Amino acid sequence: MKVLLVGNGGREHAIAKKIAESPVLTDFFSTPGNPGINTLAKVANTQNTPESIVDWAEKNSIDLIVCGPEIPLVAGLADAAADKGIPVFGPKKIGAMLEGSKIFSKKFMEKYNVPTAPFVVLEDYEAAVEYVKGHSQQYPMVIKADGLAAGKGVKIAADEKEALDTLHDYMIKETLGEAGKKVVIEEFMPGEEMSVFYLTDGKKFIRLIAAKDYKKVYDGDKGENTGGMGCYAPHQSLTKDVSDKIENLIMPGIKRGFAEEHFDYRGILYVGLMLTKDGPKVVEFNCRFGDPETQGIMPLIDEDVVTLFYQAACGNLEHEDIKWKNMFAASVVVASKGYPGSYEKGKEIFFETDMKDYIHAGTKESNGKIVTNGGRVLNAVATGNTKAEALKKAYELAAKATFDGCFYRKDIGS
């Protein structure tokens, strides 16, 4: 089978490593790729648009497109490919809007009784300011930009000043561009986070193992939210009781909504949960694998993912369950100084071991050297028979890749 992987981050490199193991794989291409992915797949010469990607796939007789990031899906990659008869592992545009618009997703949850935090939609700056000033008792207050913001569109405001500053940044200064012109303000949900993923053809939903993601930039969950600074899997808080509540309280509304809204949803549904004192509630949806959770989940899959992805993309998921290795996996993100704010690129990376030992998230090749090209640069990923063993090996690996200003959290797994 000829496969084209879309994306250039750590998530895609982790997926690429698993695709490369497939016994049914005959040719493997990626666009745009990165130095890690390029050791596994040939680079497809496409532009970064759905039309260009699909045209290239058609000309090169691609059997399956696997889309890693959300932006091409929200832009309609699966829709464009469907017109050419090419299966895509990733939902069509309407389903992808569950991630593409916080307003869309919150209204979906409200309509189909999916447990989530109470919220209000505000499309006007003055109205948003008036709301904040009228709810002095509601702190911490969660403010979410409506559109895609690369994991940076959520602010947990501790007081009124921080809330008003956030509204001004999003809606007036437009620090997130179009994404922040409309906002959702919702009640803060205390509890433990859990990332749950479902492989789906739109009708059948197979739950993958859960991962624990660490969003805050610094140890002790301090600092700003990031795209994720590390993870471990499987999540140890996924007890039978929690599992039953997810399946009995959360998933029925989601499944009913998919059916009634006619989502032709083929791929991964990410359900971000908060384990509250009142049970699990949905924080957000994503229309693709999480990053860095994928880096922890992929090494533990004991199946041919190309077959799984192809069945889902064709709307005919034959599997009833997925086999898993009886192990733990851990991922530690090595980041650039300044992330998630401004940071410099182009810093040479020095590897004490082989560069292939790392998942490449924000790197590029320049004059024969591997240099930084993002905020989250590398993922040090390891597996072990215990959680402690996996974390120990991941941290040992993280220490063997350095560049000017690099840092990573020291408390992943806590």
Side-chain angles (χ1 to χ4, degrees), residues 188-398:
F188 176 76
M189 293 189 291
E192 183 178 10
E193 286 191 62
M194 179 180 290
S195 303
V196 178
F197 299 88
Y198 285 86
L199 176 72
T200 181
D201 59 6
K203 304 175 291 292
K204 183 184 291 185
F205 292 76
I206 301 176
R207 195 173 75 203
L208 311 187
I209 58 170
K212 167 73 172 178
D213 181 20
Y214 293 77
K215 288 290 186 190
K216 295 291 187 178
V217 66
Y218 299 126
D219 290 4
D221 279 339
K222 299 291 194 298
E224 295 292 324
N225 272 347
T226 71
M229 292 297 292
C231 76
Y232 78 85
H235 199 306
Q236 293 187 302
S237 295
L238 185 57
T239 61
K240 185 180 186 304
D241 178 60
V242 172
S243 179
D244 288 346
K245 286 177 178 175
I246 293 170
E247 297 305 321
N248 296 328
L249 301 177
I250 289 175
M251 289 309 295
I254 293 173
K255 292 176 181 178
R256 183 165 67 90
F258 273 44
E260 293 189 13
E261 301 294 333
H262 304 290
F263 289 167
D264 188 6
Y265 198 109
R266 306 176 185 188
I268 287 291
L269 174 68
Y270 163 104
V271 185
L273 299 174
M274 189 65 74
L275 306 183
T276 76
K277 62 180 178 58
D278 300 317
K281 296 185 179 183
V282 177
V283 177
E284 63 178 355
F285 294 120
N286 288 339
C287 64
R288 39 70 188 179
F289 279 111
D291 188 344
E293 298 99 324
T294 308
Q295 291 85 308
I297 290 173
M298 283 291 145
L300 301 181
I301 296 177
D302 200 14
E303 299 265 11
D304 170 22
V305 297
V306 171
T307 298
L308 283 171
F309 292 174
Y310 185 73
Q311 288 179 3
C314 291
N316 185 29
L317 191 53
E318 297 173 12
H319 284 63
E320 297 298 328
D321 208 347
I322 294 174
K323 296 176 186 175
W324 298 93
K325 297 174 184 176
N326 187 25
M327 302 180 78
F328 284 84
S331 175
V332 176
V333 172
V334 184
S336 297
K337 180 182 179 181
Y339 177 77
S342 60
Y343 52 84
E344 295 181 1
K345 298 180 181 181
K347 305 288 187 181
E348 182 178 359
I349 306 170
F350 300 94
F351 298 95
E352 290 182 34
T353 179
D354 197 308
M355 60 87 83
K356 295 180 184 178
D357 292 338
Y358 298 84
I359 297 294
H360 289 243
T363 70
K364 72 174 183 179
E365 189 171 346
S366 178
N367 299 320
K369 298 176 181 178
I370 305 298
V371 302
T372 64
N373 193 44
R376 293 185 294 170
V377 178
L378 296 168
N379 304 144
V381 179
T383 59
N385 292 319
T386 64
K387 176 184 165 186
E389 181 187 357
L391 285 161
K392 181 175 181 289
K393 289 162 66 176
Y395 272 113
E396 287 173 350
L397 187 59

Side-chain angles (χ1 to χ4, degrees), residues 8-274:
N8 67 342
R11 166 184 47 228
E12 288 77 39
H13 189 188
I15 294 170
K17 290 185 76 170
K18 206 67 186 178
I19 289 174
E21 298 175 2
S22 172
V24 302
L25 186 69
T26 54
D27 279 301
F28 188 18
F29 302 89
S30 72
T31 178
N34 69 31
I37 297 170
N38 296 348
T39 66
L40 303 167
K42 292 169 274 191
V43 178
N45 184 24
T46 75
Q47 301 298 313
N48 192 26
T49 65
E51 295 74 22
S52 177
I53 293 167
V54 171
D55 285 347
W56 188 95
E58 183 182 32
K59 289 173 185 174
N60 289 273
S61 303
I62 293 297
D63 298 302
L64 173 67
I65 298 174
V66 177
C67 186
E70 65 278 10
I71 291 175
L73 295 170
V74 173
L77 174 63
D79 306 73
D83 292 341
K84 302 286 188 179
I86 304 171
V88 173
F89 184 74
K92 290 185 176 178
K93 188 172 184 177
I94 183 63
M97 287 306 290
L98 286 170
E99 178 171 3
S101 168
K102 291 291 190 296
I103 295 172
F104 181 91
S105 65
K106 293 293 286 192
K107 288 183 175 179
F108 174 88
M109 288 184 253
E110 183 178 56
K111 182 176 180 180
Y112 294 103
N113 298 314
V114 178
T116 189
F119 70 98
V120 61
V121 172
L122 295 154
E123 302 184 9
D124 174 77
Y125 174 68
E126 284 75 20
V129 169
E130 184 178 343
Y131 178 87
V132 166
K133 289 184 175 179
H135 289 76
S136 57
Q137 78 286 359
Q138 193 179 318
Y139 290 98
M141 179 183 286
V142 182
I143 303 174
K144 296 182 176 181
D146 175 49
L148 296 175
K152 300 173 186 175
V154 178
K155 183 70 176 181
I156 301 173
D159 52 36
E160 183 176 293
K161 181 183 184 306
E162 195 169 18
L164 293 175
D165 287 347
T166 300
L167 292 178
H168 192 266
D169 285 345
Y170 287 2
M171 305 180 84
I172 301 300
K173 292 175 67 177
E174 298 183 11
T175 54
L176 300 176
E178 289 289 325
K181 286 189 173 181
K182 302 175 185 177
V183 299
V184 170
I185 297 181
E186 63 183 39
E187 283 187 15
F188 176 76
M189 293 189 291
E192 183 178 10
E193 286 191 62
M194 179 180 290
S195 303
V196 178
F197 299 88
Y198 285 86
L199 176 72
T200 181
D201 59 6
K203 304 175 291 292
K204 183 184 291 185
F205 292 76
I206 301 176
R207 195 173 75 203
L208 311 187
I209 58 170
K212 167 73 172 178
D213 181 20
Y214 293 77
K215 288 290 186 190
K216 295 291 187 178
V217 66
Y218 299 126
D219 290 4
D221 279 339
K222 299 291 194 298
E224 295 292 324
N225 272 347
T226 71
M229 292 297 292
C231 76
Y232 78 85
H235 199 306
Q236 293 187 302
S237 295
L238 185 57
T239 61
K240 185 180 186 304
D241 178 60
V242 172
S243 179
D244 288 346
K245 286 177 178 175
I246 293 170
E247 297 305 321
N248 296 328
L249 301 177
I250 289 175
M251 289 309 295
I254 293 173
K255 292 176 181 178
R256 183 165 67 90
F258 273 44
E260 293 189 13
E261 301 294 333
H262 304 290
F263 289 167
D264 188 6
Y265 198 109
R266 306 176 185 188
I268 287 291
L269 174 68
Y270 163 104
V271 185
L273 299 174
M274 189 65 74

